C-alpha cells in the first residue's frame, strides 16, 4: 500500500531538519528518510567531530607553548588518542541524537529508516514501503572520492570518514591533497604528535586561495614541522614492509615518501548514483551533481535538491541556506535565490582563515578598478596579546562604488571577524560604514577600519604584508 504525504525529504543533513520543521509547521504531512546516520556529514564526519578534534589539538599545542606565557609545565605533555576520540564521539553523538530526537518528535513528520529510491517522479520506495508526494526534496550529501592512482588498491588508506575511527597516533601520516580537509588533518595530527607529510599535485596549497594566502598557510604548517611536497606528479603507492610508500616524482626532494598511514583527501562526490534518479527523470551533470536552477528546483517539477548533492556549495552553511531559500519560496512568497548569496567559508587550521566574496586574483582577472588594504597580524593588538601573530588580513573594494568585493582574514579569530565584513557586503553598503564604526578594543575586528583607512589602488600591485 502506498502512503501519501504532502512532502518527502530524502536525507537528514543540515538542510533537511529545518525544512521539515518549516513544512510541517505549515500544516504539511511530511515524511523524512535516513538510511544511516542522522545529521549528515556535518554532524558525523565533518564539522562537529573534526572541530572537536581541532580543539583537542589546539589544547596540546598550547600546553607545549605554556612557557611562552610564563606558565611552568613541570612534566612532558602527552596526548591520549583514545580520550580524544571518546570526547569527539560524545559530542558528535549528542548532536546526532539531537537531530534524530527533533525529527521523531516533530508534529506532522514521520521518520523512515532505510535506503530511499525513486520509483517515479512522485514515488519513493524505502525497503518494502512505498511513499508518494507532490513535493520531494533530495538532501543526500556526498562522500569521499577514492582516486584512480597506481597501487592505491594495494595499500590500506583512510579518508575523512574512516579516520574518525582512529584511536591511536599514526607514526607518520601521509596526506594526499593540500585542500581544506587535508590541511586541517595535517595540523591536527602534527599537534597530536605524528610526523606528517602533505603531498599536493598543484604548485601551492589551498589552490583556490590567493598566492599570498597560500604561501602564508604553508609557512604556518611548515613552522610546526609539517613536510609539504608540491607539484607532485604520477602519484602512486606501494608497500615496503609495514610502511606505505607514496611515489611522488616531485621536481625536487626524495621521489618517494615513506609513512605508516595514508589519508586520501582528494575530493568528494555526490551520493546520487543509487537513488533511481533516472526513473524520476532528474538530470545530473557529468560529475553526478543534480542540476538545479536558482531556486534549487531540479529538471522535474516538484523535485528539489539541497546541500552537497547539487554542486552549489559544499558547506553546512550553504546547505542550511538552501533550506531557507526553498522555504522562503514555497511558504513565504519570498523569491530568494542561490545567486543572492556571497561566497563565504573558513579553513580551520590554527590560525583560521575566514573568507568572503572574491579573491584578489578574481578581482584582477575581472579587470575592475579596485582598492586593496592589508595588515599583518603582528600589527593587531589582540593577536600580539594572545601570542598568536601569524597571518594577515586583506580587503578589496570597488574604487567607484566603494562596495566591498572580497576579504581574507588569516589569523586568530579570522573565522569570526570576517562576518563584520560579510554583513556589510550583504547590505551593499560602502566600506566607509565599517571604517567609521567604533569597534570594541581589544579585538581583531577593530583593525578592519584602520586597514580600510589605508587603501591603495590594486593596480599598484601592493606587496604582501611585511
Amino acid at each position: 500500500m502506498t502512503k501519501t504525504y504532502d512532502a518527502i525529504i530524502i536525507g537528514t543533513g543540515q538542510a533537511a531538519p529545518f525544512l521539515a520543521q518549516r513544512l510541517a509547521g505549515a500544516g504539511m504531512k511530511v515524511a523524512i528518510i535516513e538510511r544511516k546516520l542522522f545529521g549528515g556529514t556535518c554532524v558525523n564526519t565533518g564539522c562537529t567531530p573534526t572541530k572537536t578534534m581541532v580543539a583537542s589539538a589546539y589544547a596540546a599545542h598550547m600546553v607545549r607553548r605554556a612557557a611562552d606565557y610564563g606558565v611552568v609545565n613541570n612534566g612532558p605533555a602527552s596526548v591520549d588518542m583514545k580520550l580524544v576520540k571518546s570526547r569527539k564521539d560524545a559530542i558528535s553523538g549528542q548532536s546526532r541524537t539531537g537531530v534524530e530526537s527533533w525529527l521523531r518528535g516533530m508534529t506532522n513528520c514521520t521518520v523512515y529508516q532505510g535506503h530511499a529510491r525513486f520509483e517515479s517522479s512522485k514515488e519513493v520506495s524505502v525497503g518494502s514501503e512505498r511513499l508518494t508526494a507532490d513535493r520531494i526534496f533530495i538532501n543526500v550529501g556526498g562522500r569521499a572520492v577514492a582516486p584512480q592512482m597506481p597501487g592505491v588498491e594495494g595499500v590500506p588508506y583512510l579518508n575523512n570518514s574512516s579516520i574518525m575511527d582512529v584511536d591511536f597516533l599514526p607514526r607518520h601520516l601521509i596526506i594526499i591533497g593540500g585542500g581544506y580537509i587535508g590541511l586541517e588533518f595535517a595540523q591536527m595530527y602534527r599537534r597530536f604528535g605524528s610526523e606528517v607529510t602533505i603531498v599536493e599535485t598543484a604548485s601551492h596549497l589551498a589552490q583556490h586561495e590567493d598566492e599570498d594566502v597560500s604561501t602564508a598557510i604553508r609557512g604556518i604548517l611548515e613552522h610546526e614541522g609539517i613536510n609539504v611536497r608540491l607539484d607532485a606528479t604520477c602519484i602512486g603507492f606501494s608497500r615496503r614492509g609495514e610502511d606505505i610508500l607514496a611515489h611522488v616524482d616531485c621536481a625536487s626532494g626524495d621521489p618517494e615518501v615513506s609513512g605508516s598511514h595514508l589519508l586520501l583527501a582528494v575530493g568528494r562526490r555526490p551520493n546520487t548514483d543509487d537513488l533511481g534518479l533516472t526513473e524520476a527523470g532528474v538530470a545530473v551533470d557529468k560529475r553526478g551533481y543534480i542540476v538545479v536552477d536558482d531556486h534549487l528546483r531540479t529538471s522535474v517539477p516538484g523535485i528539489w535538491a539541497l546541500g552537497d548533492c547539487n554542486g552549489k556549495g559544499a558547506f553546512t552553511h550553504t546547505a542550511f541556506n538552501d533550506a531557507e531559500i526553498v522555504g522562503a519560496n514555497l511558504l513565504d512568497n519570498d523569491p530568494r535565490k542561490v545567486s543572492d548569496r556571497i561566497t563565504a567559508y573558513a579553513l580551520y587550521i590554527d590560525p583560521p582563515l575566514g573568507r568572503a566574496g572574491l579573491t584578489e586574483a578574481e578581482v584582477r582577472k575581472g579587470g575592475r578598478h579596485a582598492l586593496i588594504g592589508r595588515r599583518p597580524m603582528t600589527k593587531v593588538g589582540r593577536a600580539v596579546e594572545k601570542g598568536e601573530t601569524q597571518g594577515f588580513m586583506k580587503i578589496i573594494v570597488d574604487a567607484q562604488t566603494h562596495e566591498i568585493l572580497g576579504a581574507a582574514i588569516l589569523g586568530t579569530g579570522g573565522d569570526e571577524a570576517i562576518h563584520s565584513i560579510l554583513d556589510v557586503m550583504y547590505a551593499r553598503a560602502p566600506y566607509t560604514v565599517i571604517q567609521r564604526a567604533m569597534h570594541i578594543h581589544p579585538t581583531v575586528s577593530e583593525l578592519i577600519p584602520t586597514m580600510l583607512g589605508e587603501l591603495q589602488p590594486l593596480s599598484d600591485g601592493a606587496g604582501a604584508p611585511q
Side-chain angles (χ1 to χ4, degrees):
M1 181 180 295
T2 300
K3 297 181 180 179
T4 301
Y5 291 89
D6 297 307
I8 297 171
I9 302 174
I10 303 173
T12 61
Q14 290 301 299
F18 174 77
L19 182 61
Q21 184 182 51
R22 288 231 60 195
L23 298 176
M28 293 187 192
K29 184 181 177 183
V30 178
I32 191 163
I33 306 165
E34 176 54 61
R35 67 176 172 181
K36 194 175 181 182
L37 300 176
F38 287 82
T41 297
C42 176
V43 166
N44 296 288
T45 60
C47 311
T48 300
T50 58
K51 277 48 182 183
T52 301
M53 295 176 71
V54 164
S56 293
Y58 178 76
H61 180 64
M62 293 307 289
V63 168
R64 296 187 187 103
R65 288 194 61 200
D68 295 345
Y69 299 88
V71 178
V72 178
N73 183 10
N74 291 321
S78 62
V79 176
D80 187 325
M81 291 302 295
K82 291 187 182 301
L83 293 179
V84 169
K85 181 178 181 298
S86 176
R87 176 177 181 270
K88 178 265 296 179
D89 289 345
I91 294 174
S92 177
Q94 185 177 31
S95 295
R96 179 170 58 251
T97 300
V99 171
E100 181 175 0
S101 298
W102 179 21
L103 291 171
R104 291 192 183 279
M106 192 177 292
T107 303
N108 293 335
C109 182
T110 302
V111 174
Y112 290 87
Q113 284 194 267
H115 180 81
R117 183 177 178 85
F118 280 93
E119 301 298 335
S120 71
S121 63
K122 294 185 182 297
E123 291 181 301
V124 175
S125 62
V126 188
S128 61
E129 303 267 14
R130 183 165 291 210
L131 318 178
T132 183
D134 289 334
R135 303 177 186 87
I136 301 177
F137 305 90
I138 306 170
N139 179 223
V140 294
R143 63 186 185 275
V145 170
Q148 298 299 309
M149 294 178 175
V152 70
E153 71 284 347
V155 297
Y157 62 83
L158 300 162
N159 58 34
N160 74 292
S161 179
S162 60
I163 200 171
M164 292 291 100
D165 295 326
V166 170
D167 63 355
F168 56 88
L169 186 66
R171 174 177 53 79
H172 184 176
L173 180 63
I174 302 172
I175 299 176
I176 306 298
Y180 310 116
I181 292 174
L183 298 181
E184 290 179 19
F185 278 110
Q187 187 183 54
M188 182 195 308
Y189 272 89
R190 179 58 186 156
R191 289 182 168 187
F192 287 150
S194 297
E195 183 179 354
V196 176
T197 299
I198 300 171
V199 178
E200 168 58 50
T201 58
S203 60
H204 58 278
L205 301 175
Q207 56 183 298
H208 298 298
E209 304 302 334
D210 285 326
E211 188 173 348
D212 57 351
V213 174
S214 172
T215 299
I217 289 171
R218 179 179 180 180
I220 289 167
L221 299 180
E222 289 185 329
H223 180 71
E224 295 190 24
I226 295 170
N227 306 303
V228 177
R229 302 295 303 275
L230 301 175
D231 296 309
T233 58
C234 302
I235 299 175
F237 306 97
S238 63
R239 297 296 297 265
R240 179 185 293 161
E242 295 297 316
D243 276 4
I244 299 168
L245 297 182
H247 307 278
V248 295
D249 293 334
C250 294
S252 61
D254 197 315
E256 65 182 26
V257 178
S258 175
S260 60
H261 295 81
L262 174 66
L263 170 64
L264 301 179
V266 290
R268 297 174 64 77
R269 62 176 294 178
N271 292 324
T272 58
D273 48 346
D274 56 0
L275 294 176
L277 294 179
T278 301
E279 283 73 8
V282 175
V284 299
D285 66 17
K286 62 182 181 180
R287 297 182 297 164
Y289 289 99
I290 298 173
V291 178
V292 295
D293 65 11
D294 216 14
H295 297 284
L296 300 163
R297 297 172 296 201
T298 71
S299 59
V300 177
I303 302 179
W304 292 256
L306 303 85
D308 293 7
C309 68
N310 65 23
K312 295 294 185 180
F315 303 102
T316 293
H317 50 277
T318 52
F320 189 84
N321 186 247
D322 284 356
E324 292 180 311
I325 290 170
V326 170
N329 279 277
L330 282 177
L331 304 174
D332 304 332
N333 195 29
D334 181 1
R336 294 177 64 175
K337 52 188 185 295
V338 175
S339 58
D340 287 336
R341 66 192 182 201
I342 298 168
T343 299
Y345 56 85
L347 165 62
Y348 289 97
I349 60 168
D350 175 38
L353 167 68
R355 277 270 295 106
L358 301 175
T359 64
E360 180 182 338
E362 288 170 335
V363 174
R364 290 184 183 277
K365 184 177 180 180
R368 300 176 73 161
H369 183 33
L371 306 173
I372 187 169
R374 303 174 187 263
R375 191 168 191 87
M377 297 304 287
T378 53
K379 293 185 178 180
V380 175
R382 181 65 171 153
V384 174
E385 292 153 5
K386 293 181 68 177
E388 300 179 1
T389 57
Q390 293 177 305
F392 65 95
M393 60 175 73
K394 68 175 177 178
I395 191 166
I396 305 171
V397 304
D398 189 291
Q400 295 177 320
T401 67
H402 287 183
E403 288 186 17
I404 301 170
L405 300 176
I409 303 179
L410 175 62
T412 182
D415 54 327
E416 295 286 352
I418 196 70
H419 288 91
S420 70
I421 297 172
L422 180 63
D423 292 343
V424 172
M425 293 176 70
Y426 271 110
R428 301 187 66 86
Y431 75 85
T432 50
V433 170
I434 300 182
Q435 186 187 11
R436 297 173 182 177
M438 182 182 71
H439 284 197
I440 296 169
H441 173 79
T443 61
V444 173
S445 296
E446 71 171 321
L447 273 302
I448 295 174
T450 303
M451 179 172 58
L452 286 168
E454 301 170 345
L455 295 175
Q456 300 176 15
L458 184 61
S459 58
D460 286 354
Q466 302 298 315

